[in-house]
Amino acid sequence: MRNLTSEGQARIAEIAQRHGISTDGAMTMLDALVRGGGTMAQFSHPDFGGSGQWMMGGMTMVSDLFNNALKARVDNICIELSNLLANDQGWLWEPAPPQFQSSQPSSSLSGSYGGWNSGSWWPAELGQPNSSGGQNDIRYAYFGHANRLAVDIAGTVTVYDTGDHMISGVSQQQGNGWTVTFTSQYGTVPVSSLRVVGGAGEQPVPSPTPTFPEPSPMPAPSPMPAASPAASGGAALEQDYLSGSTWTFGPAGGEPFGIVTLSPEGGIAGDVDPRARFWSVENGVLSFYDADGRTSVRFSALAPEGGATVIRGDDPSVPGDGYVLRSPGVPEVQPSPASAPGTLPIPVDLSAGDWALEDASGQTLATLRLMRDQSIAGGRPTETRWRTDGDTLVLLHGSGRPTARFDTFQFRAGRWSLTGSLQSDPGVSLTLRQT
């Protein structure tokens, strides 16, 4: 990096002091931005918690993955330094010696944290990643423009569809095998909950191809020998069979928590228990994950019971703690006559008229209409559908994930208001008010 003028040095020292970092830390970040063309940086300095990456309008990643305060500091410093580089009128740098005039730094980065040109191990059609990194035998590359995440584990590359996730961090854990999780607007999510769309990781499972349709014995050796094909018309614990399916979920031998739907995107709609937030199928085993991406239940036995399809599993951390998924057509516990009335306990016709969505201060965030087909007209782009859970109104993201819940109803001055909170942060109050 070229030497700074005295004015440039004073400016960098002032920026460092204002953000509470050392001048050396600010210079390290400035150098990283110069090498990244002013719009991205890969850095390593104690002031920033070690190694990290930053990209203009994209993401901020630090080694302390969940330190949001540190991420915000890095983002603010990078934005200010990037603007400083963009607005330089010749006062920032000392004149470069002639021999360096033609050796402008490349925008490619490299280093132990990954590298923007860390190789072409991902499929070429994905282009340039927004960020990449790795450690030991695991590395990743995120392509926000294509909604793809490529993961290389010991030379085996798998490409995942990230759907509507806006990824801001990736981490890995190693112990009993490997675990890769990422952070998005929905919290911490296991990579295994994403749909596999390509790469070498997809090759061991291409049996559904129409290349050899004639041998009928092929479906017989299903991934789950315990699941009798006659039990549910040849059903087995496979991604295609389970995707979009609906079940009651609850403890073995007890009343179910409620009904869940296994969304094709890997989420679990229904919000009946914190154990059931995401799902995936690997080697004939259905796994549920909690909101932090930890495996909460593993299901491996599918069999008919009393005319219903039943999938049994247990909590890997608590041996003997069993759980059951049961097709809702034949309930395990017959409902009492008292619960039979089909009238909705909500005292207002939700689909009649418009509603104003307000925050805790009374500011209107959006105006929406709850349509009778349970779609949402208008409103915020994060919410496209709605449903009711007993006496609670739930707003849903397009992927089926609940975004907000309203369980308190008030009638004043001839109008109804519904009070609730964000699903991701119960401390954030919201109100729906008839307009």
Side-chain angles (χ1 to χ4, degrees):
M1 186 173 69
R2 291 157 54 190
N3 293 327
L4 293 170
T5 63
S6 58
E7 184 180 356
Q9 294 175 13
R11 190 67 172 272
I12 297 301
E14 185 270 331
I15 291 174
Q17 182 179 15
R18 182 152 35 83
H19 290 281
I21 64 172
S22 65
T23 302
D24 182 64
M27 289 295 296
T28 297
M29 189 64 79
L30 180 66
D31 178 57
L33 282 164
V34 169
R35 290 185 289 112
T39 60
M40 52 187 169
Q42 180 171 309
F43 52 86
S44 179
H45 195 276
D47 287 357
F48 310 118
S51 300
Q53 295 180 8
W54 176 85
M55 184 173 183
M56 175 74 75
M59 66 176 65
T60 302
M61 300 179 63
V62 293
S63 295
D64 187 0
L65 190 61
F66 302 106
N67 190 336
N68 293 325
L70 179 59
K71 287 182 182 178
R73 173 182 289 183
V74 169
D75 187 47
N76 290 334
I77 293 171
C78 286
I79 290 175
E80 185 162 353
L81 291 176
S82 179
N83 291 336
L84 189 68
L85 291 172
N87 297 323
D88 176 29
Q89 300 295 323
W91 55 268
L92 183 62
W93 306 102
E94 291 184 351
Q99 62 267 30
F100 294 104
Q101 293 291 336
S102 60
S103 58
Q104 183 69 22
S106 158
S107 63
S108 63
L109 304 175
S110 60
S112 60
Y113 197 72
W116 294 92
N117 64 338
S118 56
S120 55
W121 57 267
W122 54 78
E125 63 270 17
L126 294 178
Q128 191 74 1
N130 295 81
S131 68
S132 61
Q135 202 170 18
N136 300 328
D137 291 333
I138 301 178
R139 52 184 176 174
Y140 71 90
Y142 171 53
F143 305 85
H145 59 281
N147 297 329
R148 293 293 185 265
L149 177 67
V151 178
D152 178 6
I153 302 173
T156 299
V157 178
T158 305
V159 180
Y160 299 90
D161 181 359
T162 58
D164 59 351
H165 289 282
M166 293 182 290
I167 294 179
S168 59
V170 179
S171 65
Q172 61 189 70
Q173 297 177 351
Q174 291 173 312
N176 296 326
W178 61 268
T179 301
V180 176
T181 59
F182 65 87
T183 305
S184 75
Q185 70 272 34
Y186 301 118
T188 304
V189 184
V191 167
S192 56
S193 68
L194 298 180
R195 183 169 61 95
V196 177
V197 294
E202 190 186 33
Q203 294 177 3
V205 203
S207 54
T209 58
T211 310
F212 303 103
E214 57 274 7
S216 56
M218 185 67 74
S222 66
M224 282 306 307
S228 168
S232 53
L237 294 183
E238 297 176 343
Q239 189 87 16
D240 291 342
Y241 167 67
L242 293 169
S243 182
S245 60
T246 299
W247 309 82
T248 61
F249 171 55
E255 294 190 7
F257 301 130
I259 295 178
V260 298
T261 298
L262 307 185
S263 302
E265 297 85 358
I268 299 178
D271 190 36
V272 298
D273 189 87
R275 299 175 186 84
R277 288 294 180 266
F278 308 98
W279 70 281
S280 69
V281 175
E282 296 178 8
N283 300 321
V285 175
L286 166 63
S287 296
F288 276 14
Y289 305 91
D290 62 18
D292 294 325
R294 293 184 294 263
T295 303
S296 55
V297 185
R298 286 197 178 100
F299 299 92
S300 57
L302 182 151
E305 294 182 17
T309 301
V310 175
I311 307 175
R312 296 189 176 274
D314 54 46
D315 186 339
S317 63
V318 185
D321 198 355
Y323 295 90
V324 174
L325 291 173
R326 176 180 291 267
S327 56
V330 183
E332 186 172 12
V333 179
Q334 293 297 327
S336 63
S339 63
T343 57
L344 192 66
I346 293 178
V348 57
D349 183 0
L350 297 172
S351 58
D354 293 338
W355 297 84
L357 179 64
E358 302 175 352
D359 61 16
S361 65
Q363 180 180 354
T364 300
L365 304 176
T367 301
L368 56 92
R369 180 182 288 263
L370 305 176
M371 309 303 291
R372 294 191 181 277
D373 63 356
Q374 294 195 309
S375 63
I376 297 178
R380 300 184 296 183
T382 53
E383 292 147 347
T384 61
R385 299 194 63 79
W386 67 278
R387 61 176 169 81
T388 56
D389 284 345
D391 59 355
T392 301
L393 167 66
V394 183
L395 302 186
L396 306 170
H397 187 271
S399 63
R401 298 182 181 88
T403 59
R405 301 175 68 86
F406 301 86
D407 54 11
T408 302
F409 295 76
Q410 291 182 332
F411 186 75
R412 291 180 180 176
R415 296 186 184 277
W416 284 95
S417 64
L418 286 62
T419 305
S421 61
L422 278 178
Q423 179 71 20
S424 59
D425 187 354
V428 178
S429 298
L430 295 173
T431 300
L432 276 173
R433 198 180 308 277
Q434 278 185 327
T435 60

